[in-house]
Amino acid sequence: INPTTGEPIGFTPLPQNPEGTWGDRTPANEWTGGVAFEGMGLASMHLVAPGGTGLRARKSWLFLPDRIVALGADISTRSAGAVRTIVEHRNLGTTGRELVVDGSAVSGQTTVTGARWAHLTGVAGYVMLADGSLTASVAERSGSWLDNSTSAVAGAGDVRRRIYGTLAWEHGTGAGASGGYAYVLLPGASRARTQEVSRTPGVSVLRNDAVAQAVQVDKHVMAASFWKPGEAGYLAAASPCCLFTRSTNGMTAIAVSDPTQKQDSIE
């Protein structure tokens, strides 16, 4: 914490309404879109953050019946701030709950390199699919509605205090920020179930970069978002697309979308 300003070191504050009134305009990103297939879904977004910080990333979420696979890649910023992906930031009310990382309970704040799994009691389990630096904390935070809104409703300036459970994937600071992340979110899972999935995730990351973000699910299903022409597993795309494939008994079923909504065909 900066002793003069009271702000976290490396923190980049945003002005109020940096992109104007909500919904006025959207960023000039490449595309945001997805595809659905047999009770599963894939959503991807080229993130261009507000406020002129230059923060950019490519993010994908694969939705399966009991879990969500989250991927991030091509992360960078023009600001001097620290860059992190928030895996969890949960309001736990006025009473804390146990947050465990690789079997060790978290008190205060700690940073773990190469963490494999985490669990927040009554919330979810988290399984890391890539190496990285994970910051975990259970701590009281304070603030008011006016910290996040220009709506001066009655009581908006009243300070509230709550305990938060937080997991953050660290990517570095300023121009040195880079890399990506890959993890599985298990909503409502027990600690034992989370440990079980950490040993056998049931999914594998085939590619996670500026070209494609792709995941293999069991032996038969693949899901991929291609940002540009390239290959992932046995899939190849000649242009941007989102797709699922299921191959069984010598047959392959495909679901595909054009997230740019500009192409006449997809190969």
Side-chain angles (χ1 to χ4, degrees), residues 5-43:
T5 65
E7 294 177 340
I9 294 174
F11 177 70
T12 303
L14 294 178
Q16 292 283 4
N17 297 332
E19 303 298 328
T21 302
W22 178 258
D24 272 358
R25 57 185 183 272
T26 55
N29 70 346
E30 293 178 13
W31 54 262
T32 296
V35 64
F37 180 59
E38 297 183 355
M40 299 174 287
L42 176 67

Side-chain angles (χ1 to χ4, degrees), residues 74-173:
D74 196 26
I75 298 170
S76 64
T77 184
R78 291 196 306 269
S79 79
V83 178
R84 57 181 57 92
T85 295
I86 305 303
V87 177
E88 184 63 85
H89 189 55
R90 183 70 54 163
N91 181 351
L92 303 178
T94 56
T95 304
R97 302 182 197 175
E98 185 177 55
L99 173 61
V100 173
V101 178
D102 284 348
S104 298
V106 173
S107 59
Q109 179 172 302
T110 184
T111 299
V112 181
T113 300
R116 296 269 58 90
W117 65 274
H119 182 261
L120 182 57
T121 299
V123 178
Y126 317 84
V127 174
M128 311 309 152
L129 299 177
D131 291 333
S133 179
L134 194 69
T135 296
S137 71
V138 177
E140 183 181 82
R141 294 173 178 262
S142 62
S144 71
W145 176 250
L146 285 181
D147 292 336
N148 302 293
S149 174
T150 55
S151 300
V153 297
D158 295 347
V159 174
R160 309 287 182 177
R161 289 180 171 81
R162 297 291 185 272
I163 296 174
Y164 276 76
T166 304
L167 289 169
W169 203 300
E170 304 290 344
H171 302 296
T173 301

Side-chain angles (χ1 to χ4, degrees), residues 19-69:
E19 303 298 328
T21 302
W22 178 258
D24 272 358
R25 57 185 183 272
T26 55
N29 70 346
E30 293 178 13
W31 54 262
T32 296
V35 64
F37 180 59
E38 297 183 355
M40 299 174 287
L42 176 67
S44 298
M45 172 178 66
H46 179 218
L47 171 69
V48 178
T53 65
L55 177 63
R56 292 172 178 260
R58 299 178 191 275
K59 302 168 71 70
S60 292
W61 297 268
L62 171 60
F63 299 94
L64 302 175
D66 66 339
R67 68 195 66 187
I68 300 167
V69 182

